């Protein structure tokens, strides 16, 4: 069977059909652009939320060391115009944990500001948990306190035994407590909006 040579296909459209086709194409392109933009904004917000949760855990892990640094610094604390919010915001742009901690430690004043802020937020969280009628809240605070803040830290196993829960439950409680602390430490931007 012999194939016929194909030439250009010509389609005749009325002015109205052409206009309708162009409008549909423009709408489809605009929708795709908006969808892509919304997707990128969501990804950026998730990345920022993840970073805040990470930085909250980093601050908790290093809390005692930063507190000791602030209290024992041989450098005088000078008056700074930088606020805890400014320092926390600058932390969001550093992706190396050691650099984050080092940038805070480099200034006795910055360290004191962050330690004071974290301490205050821990106290607020503790008060909220103590006033809660839900024992889960008290347990969650106690787990984070035992793992990160207590002078004599308590092992995860010890906390699981203390509260008569599984190790998995301590991880879950820690995660929820850190999310709540992140909201306190970073403000409304620390909330995970899903």
């Amino acid at each position: 069977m012999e194939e016929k040579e194909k030439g250009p296909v010509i389609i005749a459209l009325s002015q109205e059909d052409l206009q309708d086709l162009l409008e549909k194409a423009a709408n489809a392109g605009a929708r795709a652009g908006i969808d892509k933009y919304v997707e990128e904004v969501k990804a950026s917000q998730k990345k920022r939320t993840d970073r805040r949760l990470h930085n909250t855990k980093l601050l908790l892990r290093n809390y005692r060391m930063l507190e000791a640094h602030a209290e024992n610094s041989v450098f005088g604390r000078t008056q700074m115009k930088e606020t805890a919010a400014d320092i926390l915001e600058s932390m969001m742009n550093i992706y190396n944990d050691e650099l984050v901690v080092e940038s805070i430690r480099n200034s006795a004043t910055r360290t004191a500001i962050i330690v004071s802020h974290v301490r205050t937020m821990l106290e607020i969280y503790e008060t909220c948990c103590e006033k809660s009628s839900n024992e889960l809240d008290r347990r969650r605070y106690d787990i984070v306190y035992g793992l990160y803040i207590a002078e004599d830290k308590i092992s995860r196993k010890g906390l699981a035994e203390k509260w008569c829960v599984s190790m998995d439950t301590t991880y879950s409680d820690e995660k929820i407590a850190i999310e709540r602390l992140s909201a306190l430490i970073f403000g409304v931007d620390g909330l995970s909006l899903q």
Side-chain angles (χ1 to χ4, degrees):
M1 200 152 130
E2 205 172 297
E3 224 176 277
K4 293 184 182 178
E5 198 174 302
K6 295 185 179 180
V9 176
I10 299 173
I11 300 173
L13 294 175
S14 68
Q15 187 65 31
E16 287 176 2
D17 288 342
L18 180 60
Q19 187 65 33
D20 186 48
L21 182 63
L22 291 173
E23 284 178 24
K24 286 179 181 176
N27 286 336
R31 252 190 319 275
I34 290 170
D35 290 348
K36 179 72 174 161
Y37 174 76
V38 168
E39 184 181 304
E40 287 173 3
V41 167
K42 284 181 182 179
S44 173
Q45 288 172 338
K46 182 181 180 345
K47 187 175 182 181
R48 202 158 169 81
T49 298
D50 290 348
R51 192 82 196 132
R52 286 196 169 101
L53 291 172
H54 175 81
N55 282 340
T56 298
K57 197 168 185 176
L58 184 65
L59 287 169
L60 291 173
R61 240 188 343 257
N62 291 284
Y63 178 78
R64 284 286 171 204
M65 184 256 321
L66 292 171
E67 183 180 51
H69 176 78
E71 290 173 1
N72 299 309
S73 177
V74 294
F75 301 104
R77 292 183 191 164
T78 59
Q79 190 64 21
M80 283 182 81
K81 293 180 180 166
E82 199 171 27
T83 66
D86 296 332
I87 297 166
L88 292 169
E89 184 59 35
S90 71
M91 285 175 58
M92 295 302 294
N93 299 320
I94 304 172
Y95 291 95
N96 179 318
D97 291 353
E98 290 174 22
L99 290 177
V100 169
V101 174
E102 195 58 35
S103 76
I104 294 169
R105 284 185 60 195
N106 280 341
S107 161
T109 305
R110 286 182 115 213
T111 304
I113 290 168
I114 287 298
V115 167
S116 175
H117 179 68
V118 171
R119 181 184 305 123
T120 301
M121 296 307 111
L122 281 163
E123 289 168 359
I124 289 169
Y125 183 56
E126 178 184 25
T127 300
C128 290
C129 290
E130 285 176 356
K131 289 182 177 183
S132 174
S133 60
N134 188 347
E135 187 175 296
L136 284 176
D137 291 327
R138 290 186 288 278
R139 184 180 76 207
R140 288 172 180 151
Y141 172 80
D142 187 62
I143 287 172
V144 166
Y145 184 84
L147 290 172
Y148 299 105
I149 307 302
E151 270 192 54
D152 296 323
K153 293 186 175 148
I154 304 169
S155 70
R156 189 172 299 279
K157 184 179 180 193
L159 288 164
E161 289 170 359
K162 175 182 177 181
W163 287 97
C164 301
V165 296
S166 71
M167 297 273 281
D168 287 346
T169 299
T170 67
Y171 282 103
S172 175
D173 285 347
E174 175 192 12
K175 181 179 182 236
I176 292 167
I178 287 175
E179 286 174 354
R180 291 179 180 166
L181 275 167
S182 184
L184 290 171
I185 291 170
F186 287 95
V188 72
D189 289 338
L191 292 173
S192 177
L193 304 173
Q194 294 164 349

